[in-house]
Amino acid sequence: MNYLLSITRSELLRKRLTNLLQTMIAFLFIVPTTVMAATSYQLSKQSTAPTIDGKLDEPMWKLATKVELAYENQPGNGVAAKVKTTGYIYQDGESLHIAMIAYDKHPEKIRGALRDHDKIWRDDNMGIILDTFNDERSGYLFFVNPKGAQSDERINDDNGWREDDAWDAIWYSAARVTDDGWVAEISIPFKALRFKDNQDTQQWGFTLWRNQPREVRRQFGSYQSNRDSTCSLCLYNKLNGFEGIKAGKNIQVTPTATIKRSDSKPTSNDPWSNVKTEQELGLDLRWGITQNSVLNATLNPDFSQVEADSTDLDINTSFALYTREKRPFFLDGADNFKTSRLNLVHTRNINQPDYGVKLTGQLGQHTYGILNAKDQQTNFLLPSAQGSRNITLTENNGALSSQNALIRYKNDMGNRNNIGLLVSRRQADGYSNTVVSGDGNHWFDKQSSLQYQVAFSDSNNSAIVRKGFDVETQQKDHAIDVYYSHSQKDYNYYAGYQDIGTDFRADLGFIGQVDYKQLQLGGGRTYYNDDNKEDFVNRYGFFSNTQYSQNQAGEKLGHNIDIRGFANGKMQSFANFGFMNNETRHDNQFNRDGGELYNNTQFVSYSSITPLSSLKLQFFTRIGKQLDYANAQLGTQFYLHSTINYQYNEHLAVTFNNYFNQLDVDETHVVIEGKNKKIASGQLYRASKSNLNLAYQFDQKNQLKLIVQYSDIKRNPLLYKANYDSNTENDYLAKTRNFSTQLLYTYKVNPQSLIYVGYSDGGYQPADDNSLHRDRRTFFAKFSYAWQG
C-alpha cells in the first residue's frame, strides 16, 4: 500500500515537474500559439457560366457553395458580425465565379462611385482573396465597389502583409445597389491565376471579405482573425473541388502602337521648332506553359509613361528618389525576383529595352525567375555613405546600350520558411556589374521570425565613371542584412543589423547608401478599446526605434531616436505623433571623407481623417532643426505634405497634393556684393510643389483627366556658400518656377486593352522675368489590345 502510494506520489511529482518544465520552455522559447483549424468548403462545380450583370437570377447560384462572412475582424478581433454578408462560389472548369450579397440597414449610406482601376478603397467594397498554391505565403485579391469598379492586387504574407496594386489581370465584375444593401458578381478566369500543376488534387486557401466604411471602417470575413498571429493567409478557409481545372492555352498577345509629336522652343518669343514625330509598334507575348509557369516576351515595347507622376519636392536631399515600377512586362511574376531584405531588383533601371524575355514559375516548393533584356540606355544608382545619384553611361554623345540578366531561385520549406539565391548581371562596353546573393526567412513560431541576406558585388567601371565620380576601375564588396522580429496583439519588438561595404553596388537594384554598419532596435505597444466601441478612440499605443551607424572605417555616421504615439478613431481617423532626434555626419561633398556631426530634433506627425463620406484629408508634418546639405549647417525647417481627396459626385473626383518646405538658417555669413560686404541670414529657401488631378469617369470604360503641376522655389542666393565662396555667377538662382499640364482621355476595356489620347505642355520662369513661359508641348496617342487564346 505504502509502495503504491509512493509510486503514485512519485508519478504525481514527475507530472508536476514535467508541467513546470514545459511552462518554463514555453516562457523562454515562445511555444507557438494554438490556432483554430481553418474551416473547409467543398466547391460546387457546374457546367454553365453566369451572366455577369449584378443580378443573381440564374439557377446556378442556388446550387453554388454558400459561405457566410460570419466574423468582424476589424476593429473587432474575430467577433460575431452584426452585419450580414453572404457569398456563393462555384467553378465551371474555366473560371471561378463569386456572388456576394451585402445587407445594409441604411442603403442610402452605401459609398460608391464610378472609378478607375484600383481606386475603390474609399468606397464600400468586397470580394475574394485567393491563396492558389495553399502555401500561406502569397495570393491574389479581387474586389469590386457598388458601381462595379475593380481592384486587383498581388498579396505577400511571408513576413508581414504586403499588397501590390501594380499587378493587373483580366477578369469580369458587376454590382448594383438594392433596397436592402448591394450585390456583386465576379468571374475570374483560371488563366488569370497561377496554381499547382496537378489536376488530381487541388486545395486553395481563401476568404470572402467586405469593407464597410462609415464612422469606423468595419471589415468582415469568412475566417476568424487572431491578433496573436502575424500571418493572415495561414488562418484562411480552405476550398476543395478544383480537380480537373485547367488554365487553358493561356496565350495572350498584346500589340501596341504609339504616336507622339513633340515641339519645343528656346524662349516664349520664338516659334515652335525642334519638331519630333515618333511612331512605335510593339508586341507583348504571355504564354502560360503550364498552370504555374509563364513565359513573357516583348519586342520593341512601348514603355512610355502616359500619365504624369506626382513626386515629392526634390530639394535639400542628398539621396535619389525612388520610382515605382508600372510596366506590365516587368510586373507579371515580379514577386518571383524579390529577396528577403535587400532591394537588389529594381527593373526601372532597365529604361528603354529593345527586347525582353522572362520565365517565371513555381514547381512544388521551388520558385524561379529568369529575365534577359537588352537596354538602349544604361542607368544605375551610384551610392555613397552620405548620398546617391543616378548615372547614365554615354558613348560618342549617345546612350550606351547594355545586356541585363536576372536569375532567382527560392525554396519554400514548412512553417513559412524559405531560402533563396539571386544572380544579377549588367554589361556594356567597358562596364559590368555582377551581384550574387543568398537570403532566407525562418519562423520560430507564428510570432517570431528571422530574415537574413548576404550579397557580394563585382563592378568594372568605364573611364567616364572613373573620371567623373572618383571611383576605381574595379569595385568589389559585400552586403549583410539580418532582422529579427516578434509580434503579438498587444506588443512587438525587433532588432536588425546591416553591414554594407564601401564599394558594394547593385546596378539592377536600388541600394541608395553604402559604406556603413548599422544596428537598430525598436518595438511598440497597442491598446484596444473593444469594450467601449462608442468612444471616439478605438485603438491607441506607442512605438519607438533607435539606430546607430558608423562607416567601414569606424567613424560615427549618426544616431537616430524616434518615439511616437498613435491613435485610431471615428471618422476613420488615424494619427501618429512624436519626436525624432538625429545625429548625422555630413561634409557637403559627394565623397567618402569624414565630415562633421550635426544634431537635430524634430516634431513629426501624420494624420488622416474622413469627416464626410466624400472628403478625406491627410497631413504629414516635420518641424524642428534640419541639416542644410548644400551648406553643411543646421537650420530650422517647416515641412508639410497635405492631401485632399474630394468626391464631388459619382463621376467627378478631385485630388490635390501640396508639398511645402521652408528652411531658415541659424548662422550668419559675411558675403560680398561687388565691393561691399554684407551680413546675410534668415530664410534659405521657401519651396512649394502642387499637383491637381481632376478625373471625370463617364462610365467604367471612359475617363477624362486633367493634371496640373506647379512648383515654386525661392532662395536667398547670398546664403549659399557655393555662391559667395566663388567668383563665378550664382549657382543657386533666386527663383525657380515650373509648371506642366496634361489632358488625357482614356477608353479602357481592361488594363491591357485600352486607348489613350492626350496633350501635355510645360514651361518655366526665366531668371529675368516674373511670368511663366511655355517651352514644350506634346500630342500623343496610344493603342493597346490584349488578345487571349
Side-chain angles (χ1 to χ4, degrees):
M1 183 76 172
N2 292 333
Y3 176 74
L4 293 176
L5 182 61
S6 176
I7 293 178
T8 302
R9 288 175 177 174
S10 298
E11 179 67 18
L12 181 62
L13 179 60
R14 185 189 68 79
K15 289 183 177 179
R16 287 179 176 176
L17 289 173
T18 300
N19 292 336
L20 178 61
L21 181 60
Q22 290 176 343
T23 302
M24 293 175 62
I25 293 174
F27 178 78
L28 292 174
F29 296 100
I30 315 175
V31 173
T33 303
T34 302
V35 180
M36 185 182 299
T39 304
S40 294
Y41 293 86
Q42 183 64 33
L43 180 63
S44 171
K45 183 176 182 180
Q46 302 177 51
S47 59
T48 306
T51 301
I52 304 301
D53 55 7
K55 301 177 182 179
L56 308 185
D57 50 5
E58 293 99 341
M60 298 84 72
W61 291 122
K62 295 181 181 179
L63 302 175
T65 301
K66 185 178 179 179
V67 181
E68 296 287 349
L69 281 71
Y71 303 101
E72 179 187 307
N73 291 332
Q74 287 291 345
N77 181 29
V79 300
K82 295 182 179 180
V83 179
K84 185 178 181 180
T85 313
T86 304
Y88 301 89
I89 315 175
Y90 78 92
Q91 61 107 342
D92 61 4
E94 294 185 358
S95 300
L96 183 67
H97 307 293
I98 304 101
M100 298 181 69
I101 304 174
Y103 295 93
D104 200 314
K105 295 180 179 179
H106 302 283
E108 71 279 1
K109 294 184 179 180
I110 293 174
R111 303 180 184 183
L114 294 166
R115 298 194 187 275
D116 198 4
H117 198 76
D118 291 332
K119 305 295 184 183
I120 68 172
W121 300 114
R122 289 180 53 206
D123 298 333
D124 282 70
N125 57 80
M126 57 185 176
I128 190 168
I129 304 175
L130 295 168
D131 176 8
T132 56
F133 284 95
N134 198 29
D135 58 8
E136 301 178 353
R137 290 175 169 85
S138 62
Y140 300 90
L141 175 153
F142 300 90
F143 277 40
V144 297
N145 78 351
K147 294 294 182 179
Q150 299 180 344
S151 184
D152 47 22
E153 297 180 352
R154 286 288 283 138
I155 302 299
N156 189 288
D157 195 27
D158 60 355
N159 203 301
W161 186 267
R162 299 190 303 276
E163 301 175 355
D164 183 5
D165 63 4
W167 176 83
D168 292 319
I170 298 177
W171 51 290
Y172 309 96
S173 64
R176 64 185 182 92
V177 177
T178 65
D179 293 337
D180 55 0
W182 66 286
V183 179
E185 275 186 301
I186 296 172
S187 181
I188 307 168
F190 290 129
K191 66 178 64 178
L193 306 172
R194 300 189 183 193
F195 46 89
K196 292 180 180 179
D197 190 13
N198 186 337
Q199 298 181 13
D200 296 328
T201 58
Q202 288 280 341
Q203 184 183 68
W204 294 5
F206 87 102
T207 186
L208 297 183
W209 193 264
R210 176 186 177 184
N211 291 306
Q212 186 188 46
R214 299 295 185 270
E215 275 282 298
V216 175
R217 175 178 289 271
R218 300 194 181 277
Q219 300 180 319
F220 309 100
S222 58
Y223 83 98
Q224 186 174 19
S225 66
N226 184 336
R227 289 174 182 160
D228 276 325
S229 176
T230 57
C231 63
S232 295
L233 292 178
C234 62
L235 304 176
Y236 278 11
N237 311 130
K238 302 299 181 182
L239 193 59
N240 302 290
F242 291 98
E243 291 78 12
I245 66 170
K246 297 180 180 179
K249 295 180 180 178
N250 200 2
I251 295 177
Q252 179 175 311
V253 180
T254 308
T256 61
T258 304
I259 304 171
K260 182 167 64 175
R261 169 180 166 152
S262 301
D263 304 334
S264 63
K265 52 185 177 180
T267 69
S268 59
N269 297 323
D270 296 320
W272 290 106
S273 59
N274 299 322
V275 178
K276 185 178 180 181
T277 303
E278 299 177 58
Q279 298 90 25
E280 293 287 344
L281 296 177
L283 184 68
D284 286 349
L285 170 67
R286 185 185 190 274
W287 175 27
I289 303 172
T290 65
Q291 285 92 326
N292 54 22
S293 180
V294 175
L295 176 68
N296 296 86
T298 183
L299 295 174
N300 193 28
D302 169 50
F303 289 151
S304 59
Q305 181 67 30
V306 174
E307 184 175 322
D309 283 322
S310 176
T311 57
D312 200 348
L313 187 59
D314 189 9
I315 188 172
N316 195 39
T317 178
S318 59
F319 289 94
L321 299 179
Y322 181 83
T323 305
R324 288 183 63 195
E325 180 63 84
K326 297 182 180 181
R327 301 170 294 180
F329 171 78
F330 291 110
L331 291 173
D332 193 12
D335 283 348
N336 292 43
F337 294 95
K338 291 182 179 178
T339 57
S340 297
R341 296 296 303 165
L342 301 169
N343 188 358
L344 301 182
V345 178
H346 182 52
T347 50
R348 282 295 292 255
N349 290 329
I350 306 175
N351 192 41
Q352 295 184 6
D354 287 323
Y355 65 83
V357 180
K358 179 171 62 174
L359 178 66
T360 55
Q362 183 170 341
L363 182 61
Q365 64 188 30
H366 308 284
T367 302
Y368 57 88
I370 303 172
L371 183 147
N372 182 269
K374 182 181 179 182
D375 195 0
Q376 299 176 32
Q377 291 188 353
T378 304
N379 302 324
F380 60 88
L381 193 66
L382 186 64
S384 75
Q386 300 180 23
S388 59
R389 63 179 62 184
N390 290 302
I391 304 300
T392 300
L393 296 183
T394 59
E395 181 182 41
N396 299 324
N397 298 322
L400 183 66
S401 63
S402 60
Q403 286 291 143
N404 303 268
L406 289 167
I407 299 176
R408 170 66 170 161
Y409 167 77
K410 186 175 69 170
N411 187 306
D412 293 331
M413 297 173 285
N415 195 28
R416 300 164 67 199
N417 302 331
N418 58 68
I419 57 173
L421 173 71
L422 173 76
V423 179
S424 70
R425 172 75 173 177
R426 196 165 210 198
Q427 185 173 5
D429 290 340
Y431 155 82
S432 67
N433 173 257
T434 303
V435 176
V436 179
S437 171
D439 66 293
N441 190 14
H442 178 76
W443 284 88
F444 301 99
D445 51 61
K446 289 188 180 298
Q447 289 79 39
S448 307
S449 70
L450 178 69
Q451 292 178 289
Y452 51 89
Q453 188 161 3
V454 178
F456 299 91
S457 71
D458 184 352
S459 303
N460 288 295
N461 298 307
S462 64
I464 295 177
V465 176
R466 296 197 304 270
K467 181 178 179 180
F469 304 102
D470 191 26
V471 295
E472 299 296 328
T473 301
Q474 188 174 48
Q475 294 178 282
K476 293 183 178 181
D477 227 317
H478 69 277
I480 301 171
D481 195 321
V482 182
Y483 184 84
Y484 171 82
S485 66
H486 177 85
S487 180
Q488 294 187 209
K489 67 177 182 179
D490 296 325
Y491 66 92
N492 73 292
Y493 55 85
Y494 56 87
Y497 175 75
Q498 283 187 320
D499 180 351
I500 313 296
T502 303
D503 291 321
F504 182 80
R505 289 225 318 261
D507 291 0
L508 277 174
F510 194 90
I511 303 295
Q513 185 179 15
V514 296
D515 187 17
Y516 71 94
K517 297 179 181 180
Q518 178 176 279
L519 176 66
Q520 62 170 326
L521 300 171
R525 173 83 180 186
T526 302
Y527 300 90
Y528 302 91
N529 200 18
D530 291 339
D531 297 331
N532 298 290
K533 294 183 178 179
E534 299 305 317
D535 290 355
F536 187 87
V537 174
N538 55 58
R539 183 183 300 185
Y540 58 95
F542 65 88
F543 61 90
S544 63
N545 175 71
T546 182
Q547 298 176 350
Y548 177 87
S549 61
Q550 63 182 33
N551 61 22
Q552 295 293 334
E555 299 171 319
K556 184 177 181 180
L557 288 176
H559 186 200
N560 171 273
I561 300 175
D562 187 354
I563 302 175
R564 302 193 211 183
F566 68 89
N568 293 69
K570 289 187 175 181
M571 293 190 286
Q572 300 179 51
S573 59
F574 172 78
N576 72 51
F577 43 86
F579 291 90
M580 292 177 59
N581 178 261
N582 294 286
E583 188 179 36
T584 306
R585 180 177 294 275
H586 183 67
D587 65 354
N588 195 35
Q589 298 294 327
F590 191 80
N591 56 42
R592 300 188 178 96
D593 296 337
E596 182 180 347
L597 287 171
Y598 299 86
N599 192 291
N600 59 89
T601 300
Q602 295 183 340
F603 170 77
V604 182
S605 173
Y606 170 79
S607 58
S608 172
I609 190 169
T610 306
L612 304 171
S613 62
S614 59
L615 180 65
K616 181 178 181 179
L617 307 174
Q618 299 176 82
F619 305 97
F620 176 68
T621 305
R622 294 199 306 263
I623 303 174
K625 295 297 183 181
Q626 172 64 38
L627 177 60
D628 167 19
Y629 290 99
N631 301 290
Q633 62 181 341
L634 284 177
T636 302
Q637 182 191 56
F638 176 74
Y639 175 89
L640 174 63
H641 175 203
S642 54
T643 303
I644 301 173
N645 292 285
Y646 179 60
Q647 189 69 41
Y648 179 73
N649 54 33
E650 68 175 19
H651 296 281
L652 179 61
V654 181
T655 302
F656 177 76
N657 265 288
N658 179 260
Y659 300 86
F660 179 84
N661 192 343
Q662 177 177 315
L663 187 67
D664 297 326
V665 295
D666 300 336
E667 300 180 13
T668 61
H669 308 287
V670 178
V671 300
I672 299 176
E673 288 184 314
K675 297 181 180 180
N676 301 318
K677 291 184 177 181
K678 182 179 179 181
I679 301 296
S681 63
Q683 189 179 101
L684 180 71
Y685 64 78
R686 182 186 181 96
S688 176
K689 181 175 183 178
S690 301
N691 180 287
L692 176 65
N693 190 315
L694 303 175
Y696 191 89
Q697 197 82 32
F698 297 93
D699 52 38
Q700 288 306 132
K701 295 181 179 179
N702 292 273
Q703 183 192 71
L704 184 66
K705 183 177 289 187
L706 174 65
I707 302 173
V708 180
Q709 294 185 349
Y710 172 75
S711 65
D712 185 356
I713 302 176
K714 298 179 181 178
R715 296 182 175 92
N716 186 345
L718 299 177
L719 297 181
Y720 283 85
K721 295 179 180 179
N723 288 340
Y724 64 76
D725 284 349
S726 66
N727 295 319
T728 61
E729 61 182 76
N730 289 346
D731 294 298
Y732 292 90
L733 301 175
K735 293 181 181 180
T736 304
R737 291 201 295 167
N738 295 279
F739 76 93
S740 66
T741 59
Q742 184 183 75
L743 185 64
L744 179 67
Y745 167 74
T746 306
Y747 177 78
K748 185 181 296 184
V749 179
N750 55 57
Q752 278 80 44
S753 299
L754 47 83
I755 298 173
Y756 287 115
V757 179
Y759 165 82
S760 64
D761 63 14
Y764 68 103
Q765 175 186 314
D768 56 349
D769 196 339
N770 290 323
S771 60
L772 293 170
H773 295 260
R774 211 166 41 127
D775 65 343
R776 62 190 185 277
R777 66 183 182 185
T778 301
F779 303 87
F780 59 89
K782 177 180 177 179
F783 308 90
S784 175
Y785 179 74
W787 177 86
Q788 290 185 319

